[in-house]
Amino acid sequence: MGAIRRLLNSFSASDDAFDEEARFHLEQRTNEYIRNGMSPSDARRAAIARFGNVTAAKERSRDADVFRWLDDARRDCGYGLRMLWRTPGFTVLAILCLTLGIGANAAVFSWIEGILLRPFPLVVDQDRLFAVTGTMRGTPGHTDVSWPDWIDLQRSSTLVDAFIAEKITGTTLSVGDRAERAPGSIVSANYFEAIGVRPMLGRGFTSAEESGRNAHPVTVVSYQAWQDRFHGDPAIIGKTQMLNGLPHTIVGVAPKGFFGTFVGYAFQFWVPASMQPQFNAGVYKLEDRDARWIEGFVRLKPGVTLQQAEAELSGTMTRLERDYPDTNRGRGVRLSPLWQTPFNNAGAMVPTLGIALVVVLSVLLIACANVGNLLLVRAFARQQELTIRLSIGAGRSRLIRQLLTEAMMLSACAAVGGIVIANALRDALAFLTPPRGGTVLRLPGELDWRVLAASAAVCVVATLLFALMPAIVTSRIDLAGALRSHSGAVSGSRRAARLRSALVTVQIALSLVLLVGAGLLIKSFLGIRMANPGFATSGVLTTSVDAFTAGYNVQRARTFQDELIERVRAISGVTSAAFSTITPFSYASTASAPIAVDGYVPPTDQQPSADYNTVGPDYFTTMGIPIVAGRAFTAADEQGAAPVAIVDQTMAELFWRGGDPVGRRLRVKDRWLLVVGVARAIKSRNFMEGREPYFYVPLRQNPAPVVALQIQTPLGPAALRPSLVREMRALDANIAPGELITMREFVDRTTAPQRIALTMLIVFGVIAVVLAAVGLYGVMAATVAQSSRQLALRIALGAETADVVRLVMRNGLTVTIAGIVVGAVAAFETTRLLGYLLYDVSPVDPLVFGGAVAVVVAAAGAACVIPALRATRTDPLQALR
Amino acid sequence: MLLRRKKPDALQGTLDLLVLKILSRGPHHGYGIAADIESISDDILRVEEGSLYPALRRMEHCGWIRAQWQTTSNNRRARVYSLTRAGETQLAEQRDKWTRLSKGVSKVLRFA
């Protein structure tokens, strides 16, 4: 209250009010003098003379004003500006350091905002959006939700504003001789309305359009698709676009800057739920409570918490479990905040961004320590100026304020630079992340006001971090002592020296942490390069062939595939070729099925399941996967012939316990298959996975219209592509191969998270070491300069060069060792963060720790040697002066 | 802490006491306060405008007096000050202090 009143007072006492009051006073006084017999002009003059200097009075009466504070701040800024201008080297260095620190933070903030917190541009109220996934009692992980369940949840909910159902899908669009995958989405009819995005042309979907089997072939296309494929045709509404072999009427164009609601992809089209079968190979799921495919969101009503909403939805699920025990036993739902969405790329990005955040915060701390050090050095040089200011009456708090103002100006400049950097780095994540299936991922940073505010906060905190201690230490000047002599007998300098050593210790510790992180990832990366996934990665190319989109049914697709594989094998340079539904290490969800084996009794509450692949006859030869027992698939494993399977070694050991599975039976879903061979185990998804059972079934007995094509050839993709396109065109002019790349490339793409973390750690680790070395050099150089008299004395008394070097080096190495000890402990604690990225490397790998320590020691040694050598050249005569 | 309250020193205290006393008789503008002090003290005490207005500001900040713009009889806008409750307490305190001080001073003078 007091403060507010004072503030109001200071405004009521502003200049205008005072002038009016003074005028009134002068008038009264003049009248008095006139009454006493003076002439009006004399009276006026006398009154003014008596009033005294109006401005002086004004100044004094304004003593307690806020304006004075503002005035001071302005003066501090002006003074600070001059001081910074006078030492351009320091200023530029400090701003660069801070720009790096703040910029790196702002960039990571912008990624976190754009990918995790508010990932969907133009979508309203994203803080009230939550992802919905299904749960299965007793089973970890998540499932999708069935359409009938979704509708029932929606009907009985009172706490939810909107249910937004969708499922990512895609179609193959031909561009010249290249088949391009266009990601899109199957959505509930309320989609555009519910997320608050109004199509810029045409309309969204109507509620009728979400029912009926393939009944409403309509689509809303993205702004980008409208531009690229229709050249921004203003009369596009009502025209048709082929999607998965069926013409769809374009009813709307989404606004510019809207990419859908799936982290990682920019969707190009949306279709209503009724078109679901068209995009799921004809399987109709809208009336099937057991078909779980919806990955949806709910927007909660304002003020409703996640727990309340989840409780309500769970209540509905319990009722459904009672009503439909066959399909819903044990089924529930769970809500997650957007940044934890399990079904898009948000979840995958969380750990990477977590590491990024730790790295950039370390970099910020290092930059702060460095600038703090620079400030202390400069304070040493400014001692005289500060002493004079202090002796002519500046308060100590005034001095600290001056120093903080200067620091604030530095970090404000750096913050501006940092935002520019962050803006430039907005797409860096997408750049480091390889395309998937030919689609470039969309992982943008978002520089909105929240990110700017967070960066400003970082800037202020950083200022306090690097400037407060130096300011306090610097301003603690013993006036009497300092004025007596300025020859270096400056008190407080020891405290400053200790502070500087502490700052360098922090820098060394943090750079060690970053180096250890970088080292672990490098070792892990090398391990991955050398690792054998169990299939050939050189001399094999992979691509995709989509006959479904071209309008083929399963039977025709089979014939097409048979003819195509013959033509591909006939291409000169091709040694073998085979189809499969899944390419190992692909992002496509792997196929998994419940299994049973004769003679294997699983624990009662468990239903064993295994991943599998559907492959053509020459698959094992082409992929270089040895068959260790029995035989591979042949063309004779046909429809009508006995259904067969090949299991991998892991499965053989797990289910047949060392016995020979060949000739035994395996039940997959409801079909019994005869095991005809055992294949060597491979890594099927990534290098990090453990040993899991895996089996193969023949493509000819389980036909699929969309397949991957593996080709064994010494040719590169560029050399093979033209002949491949020619052979496919010869069969059907409407079908083109998808992206054609080497298996090596395909495998390498799965290491994107490692690559992002590695790039960051190497770049910042190197910067950190350089900064720490510079900091250490500064401290050592200053120490040598300050103790020159002492050194001179020692030399005069007969100290050898080696003694002097040892003396100086010992100082530097003490700081280094302290930093290394602190850093090693910190690294021990933090490298566990990297755990999920590490392949075959322990987070506390001694070799990596040793290497990082060696690098730090080498850098520190180099930083100490020059000052040490300079110390040996100290003139012994100095001791006498 | 931007606007730290300063402890009034002895001399300022005297002016404060006079102003508070004048205002205890009723609201008054700055000129009127100065004129009253002068006429009541038979022109022995002369109030410097350069001291009066800063003192008024300060006392306003301390919450002893409050100011309001009012229209005078001859239709001029004047800033009129009046005593607050805190000001009354302050007046009593300062009056006691002054009495003690002057009693002390006169005792010493008598003795010497």
Side-chain angles (χ1 to χ4, degrees):
Chain A
M1 269 319 286
I4 294 172
R5 200 186 56 231
R6 254 176 284 144
L7 197 66
L8 290 176
N9 279 346
S10 67
F11 281 111
S12 69
S14 65
D15 284 1
D16 280 354
F18 183 78
D19 285 347
E20 188 172 353
E21 193 172 14
R23 244 187 345 264
F24 175 77
H25 187 107
L26 286 174
E27 249 168 59
Q28 298 291 318
R29 184 70 80 197
T30 311
N31 290 343
E32 181 194 324
Y33 287 157
I34 292 173
R35 276 200 304 278
N36 290 354
M38 287 172 97
S39 73
S41 62
D42 284 351
R44 170 109 190 129
R45 208 172 304 125
I48 290 177
R50 184 168 166 190
F51 195 91
N53 187 341
V54 180
T55 22
K58 202 179 340 185
E59 287 289 318
R60 256 172 292 165
S61 76
R62 234 175 30 165
D63 217 30
D65 286 356
V66 172
F67 296 105
R68 171 169 157 169
W69 187 80
L70 288 177
D71 252 12
D72 278 356
R74 205 188 53 215
R75 217 165 319 153
D76 281 353
C77 284
Y79 186 76
L81 209 57
R82 282 200 300 278
M83 289 309 294
L84 295 177
W85 194 252
R86 204 176 299 165
T87 49
F90 159 81
T91 307
V92 168
L93 200 59
I95 291 180
L96 278 183
C97 270
L98 291 170
T99 303
L100 183 74
I102 296 176
N105 274 276
V108 172
F109 291 165
S110 83
W111 296 338
I112 290 177
E113 175 80 356
I115 296 168
L116 297 182
L117 300 181
R118 276 165 198 80
F120 311 133
L122 302 193
V123 173
V124 297
D125 297 324
Q126 293 187 48
D127 33 1
R128 286 196 276 133
L129 273 191
F130 292 86
V132 185
T133 46
T135 58
M136 174 71 180
R137 199 177 300 133
T139 316
H142 71 275
T143 65
D144 294 338
V145 181
S146 73
W147 182 257
D149 281 357
W150 186 262
I151 299 296
D152 286 335
L153 285 170
Q154 190 165 1
R155 269 192 203 127
S156 40
S157 170
T158 58
L159 302 178
V160 175
D161 229 9
F163 280 76
I164 303 153
E166 76 168 319
K167 175 67 176 184
I168 181 171
T169 183
T171 190
T172 307
L173 300 173
S174 293
V175 184
D177 66 348
R178 199 173 290 267
E180 190 184 282
R181 218 43 210 160
S185 186
I186 305 167
V187 298
S188 49
N190 68 346
Y191 184 74
F192 289 98
E193 210 173 305
I195 59 175
V197 172
R198 184 194 299 272
M200 58 174 287
L201 287 179
R203 58 171 176 91
F205 301 121
T206 63
S207 55
E209 283 168 345
E210 71 180 17
S211 45
R213 183 196 290 246
N214 287 344
H216 304 277
V218 292
T219 181
V220 172
V221 298
S222 74
Y223 177 85
Q224 202 56 47
W226 178 53
Q227 289 294 320
D228 294 350
R229 299 186 188 286
F230 302 96
H231 312 291
D233 176 7
I236 188 182
I237 304 300
K239 299 200 169 158
T240 58
Q241 163 71 41
M242 289 293 277
L243 294 175
N244 272 17
L246 188 77
H248 283 63
T249 306
I250 296 171
V251 296
V253 176
K256 192 176 182 180
F258 176 68
F259 303 100
T261 43
F262 193 97
V263 173
Y265 288 107
F267 284 163
Q268 296 197 22
F269 67 93
W270 294 265
V271 292
S274 63
M275 299 312 293
Q276 170 271 325
Q278 181 66 21
F279 289 87
N280 292 128
V283 184
Y284 180 57
K285 300 175 176 173
L286 290 186
E287 284 161 24
D288 184 353
R289 216 173 265 281
D290 215 9
R292 298 181 172 79
W293 58 283
I294 292 180
E295 297 170 340
F297 299 95
V298 286
R299 191 175 62 240
L300 305 186
K301 289 185 174 158
V304 175
T305 66
L306 181 147
Q307 285 76 19
Q308 290 166 341
E310 197 171 81
E312 185 189 62
L313 297 183
S314 297
T316 310
M317 287 307 283
T318 312
R319 183 169 56 79
L320 293 177
E321 189 177 349
R322 208 174 45 236
D323 293 353
Y324 309 99
D326 286 352
T327 54
N328 282 44
R329 182 168 293 130
R331 301 287 179 175
V333 289
R334 182 168 51 220
L335 299 186
S336 343
L338 285 190
W339 64 277
Q340 284 176 325
T341 306
F343 49 73
N344 58 33
N345 291 300
M349 295 306 291
V350 167
T352 306
L353 288 174
I355 291 172
L357 198 58
V358 170
V359 169
V360 296
L361 284 176
S362 308
V363 168
L364 181 67
L365 281 180
I366 290 170
C368 284
N370 226 36
V371 176
N373 243 329
L374 287 173
L375 280 178
L376 282 170
V377 174
R378 204 169 74 112
F380 192 70
R382 284 178 71 178
Q383 199 86 43
Q384 205 165 357
E385 168 218 333
L386 295 176
T387 310
I388 290 169
R389 286 197 66 182
L390 210 53
S391 58
I392 58 174
R396 205 172 140 227
S397 60
R398 198 69 188 66
L399 228 52
I400 293 181
R401 222 179 88 185
Q402 168 69 46
L403 293 171
L404 283 184
T405 306
E406 286 180 36
M408 201 64 227
M409 291 166 73
L410 286 178
S411 40
C413 289
V416 172
I419 296 297
V420 172
I421 289 188
N423 193 40
L425 289 177
R426 280 174 66 160
D427 291 324
L429 269 193
F431 183 72
L432 287 171
T433 311
R436 283 182 200 170
T439 306
V440 177
L441 288 196
R442 193 184 154 274
L443 295 169
E446 192 65 59
L447 277 176
D448 54 13
W449 66 267
R450 289 180 201 84
V451 172
L452 295 182
S455 306
V458 161
C459 167
V460 170
V461 171
T463 310
L464 291 179
L465 268 183
F466 72 76
L468 194 57
M469 280 300 287
I472 290 174
V473 169
T474 313
S475 66
R476 202 177 285 161
I477 296 170
D478 168 21
L479 259 190
L483 284 179
R484 238 187 338 262
S485 89
H486 62 273
S487 63
V490 184
S491 50
S493 66
R494 185 174 306 165
R495 203 176 290 115
R498 220 177 302 143
L499 181 58
R500 296 196 57 195
S501 298
L503 289 176
V504 171
T505 309
V506 169
Q507 281 182 288
I508 292 178
L510 286 170
S511 22
L512 184 73
V513 173
L514 293 183
L515 279 186
V516 166
L520 289 173
L521 284 175
I522 290 174
K523 193 167 176 198
S524 159
F525 218 69
L526 292 178
I528 288 178
R529 291 297 297 195
M530 308 299 285
N532 181 0
F535 53 84
T537 52
S538 56
V540 182
L541 304 182
T542 181
T543 184
S544 63
V545 181
D546 181 356
F548 184 75
T549 297
Y552 283 69
N553 64 19
V554 171
Q555 221 35 259
R556 280 185 58 217
R558 222 166 68 104
T559 320
F560 172 77
Q561 287 165 2
D562 285 347
E563 287 170 14
L564 179 62
I565 204 79
E566 286 313 318
R567 285 173 173 268
V568 172
R569 282 194 191 117
I571 296 174
S572 76
V574 172
T575 29
S576 91
F579 291 116
S580 64
T581 49
I582 292 164
T583 309
F585 280 58
S586 71
Y587 286 91
S589 49
T590 49
S592 169
I595 54 167
V597 165
D598 272 343
Y600 177 85
V601 184
T604 42
D605 56 338
Q606 272 183 30
Q607 168 58 60
S609 69
D611 287 353
Y612 68 96
N613 196 358
T614 309
V615 302
D618 278 343
Y619 180 76
F620 296 96
T621 325
T622 309
M623 291 296 285
I625 303 171
I627 297 293
V628 293
R631 63 167 177 91
F633 295 133
T634 65
D637 297 317
E638 266 281 14
Q639 254 173 341
V644 294
I646 291 175
V647 301
D648 82 339
Q649 282 169 310
T650 312
M651 188 158 167
E653 282 161 28
L654 220 62
F655 291 93
W656 284 276
R657 304 218 167 87
D660 186 3
V662 176
R664 311 284 287 276
R665 291 200 308 166
L666 165 69
R667 199 184 71 194
V668 176
K669 292 174 194 159
D670 298 321
R671 247 172 60 181
W672 284 100
L673 312 176
L674 182 70
V675 178
V676 295
V678 179
R680 199 173 69 191
I682 63 162
K683 302 273 184 193
S684 62
R685 280 179 303 225
N686 57 58
F687 282 111
M688 256 59 87
E689 73 185 13
R691 282 162 57 82
E692 279 161 35
Y694 199 83
F695 66 94
Y696 303 86
V697 292
L699 180 65
R700 298 178 62 83
Q701 292 181 343
N702 308 270
V706 182
V707 287
L709 172 59
Q710 268 73 240
I711 304 166
Q712 195 183 62
T713 171
L715 299 176
L720 185 68
R721 182 160 189 104
S723 17
L724 185 62
V725 170
R726 194 185 55 238
E727 296 304 327
M728 284 173 86
R729 282 282 156 81
L731 285 173
D732 187 327
N734 287 323
I735 302 183
E739 194 188 21
L740 179 69
I741 56 171
T742 66
M743 271 313 286
R744 178 81 254 167
E745 164 94 29
F746 202 80
V747 166
D748 283 348
R749 286 181 179 180
T750 59
T751 56
Q754 279 95 337
R755 215 177 312 170
I756 294 171
L758 183 65
T759 310
M760 250 173 337
L761 279 166
I762 288 183
V763 168
F764 287 126
V766 168
I767 291 174
V769 171
V770 170
L771 287 183
V774 168
L776 185 61
Y777 170 80
V779 168
M780 294 315 296
T783 314
V784 169
Q786 279 171 47
S787 52
S788 58
R789 191 179 289 214
Q790 184 211 4
L791 287 169
L793 194 63
R794 279 170 190 265
I795 294 172
L797 291 179
E800 298 287 325
T801 304
D803 297 328
V804 175
V805 169
R806 205 175 306 132
L807 182 76
V808 176
M809 293 292 280
R810 197 171 57 210
N811 269 333
L813 288 183
T814 312
V815 175
T816 309
I817 289 169
I820 286 175
V821 170
V822 175
V825 172
F828 224 76
E829 291 299 313
T830 48
T831 47
R832 261 174 303 162
L833 262 176
L834 293 174
Y836 85 107
L837 290 176
L838 295 185
Y839 172 73
D840 215 16
V841 180
S842 149
V844 292
D845 187 270
L847 195 70
V848 168
F849 269 70
V853 167
V855 171
V856 169
V857 168
C864 291
V865 158
I866 298 170
L869 291 180
R870 190 174 307 152
T872 63
R873 287 198 298 272
T874 309
D875 180 2
L877 279 178
Q878 268 194 7
L880 305 176
R881 284 196 199 113
Chain B
M1 283 281 81
L2 307 179
L3 313 161
R4 196 177 296 126
R5 241 177 256 206
K6 288 200 187 92
K7 219 179 193 160
D9 62 30
L11 287 174
Q12 275 179 335
T14 315
L15 179 58
D16 290 0
L17 175 60
L18 298 176
V19 171
L20 290 170
K21 176 61 196 167
I22 299 294
L23 289 181
S24 73
R25 306 181 325 156
H28 226 331
H29 45 67
Y31 171 77
I33 295 172
D36 276 9
I37 292 177
E38 281 158 29
S39 68
I40 294 173
S41 70
D42 294 333
D43 279 338
I44 297 175
L45 298 177
R46 226 177 99 109
V47 179
E48 294 295 335
E49 284 87 340
S51 312
L52 176 67
Y53 286 100
L56 287 170
R57 281 291 176 280
R58 187 164 31 73
M59 289 159 73
E60 202 184 334
H61 287 182
C62 291
W64 301 341
I65 60 175
R66 81 170 74 83
Q68 270 176 312
W69 287 102
Q70 283 181 10
T71 312
T72 61
S73 46
N74 55 354
N75 221 12
R76 294 273 296 120
R77 253 163 60 84
R79 207 164 138 85
V80 171
Y81 298 89
S82 56
L83 208 58
T84 64
R85 185 68 57 76
E88 285 168 22
T89 323
Q90 191 61 30
L91 173 59
E93 264 175 38
Q94 293 209 7
R95 190 210 296 267
D96 283 355
K97 218 189 278 173
W98 177 258
T99 318
R100 271 202 310 280
L101 179 68
S102 61
K103 214 182 274 171
V105 172
S106 45
K107 266 184 187 166
V108 171
L109 288 178
R110 249 200 319 272
F111 176 80

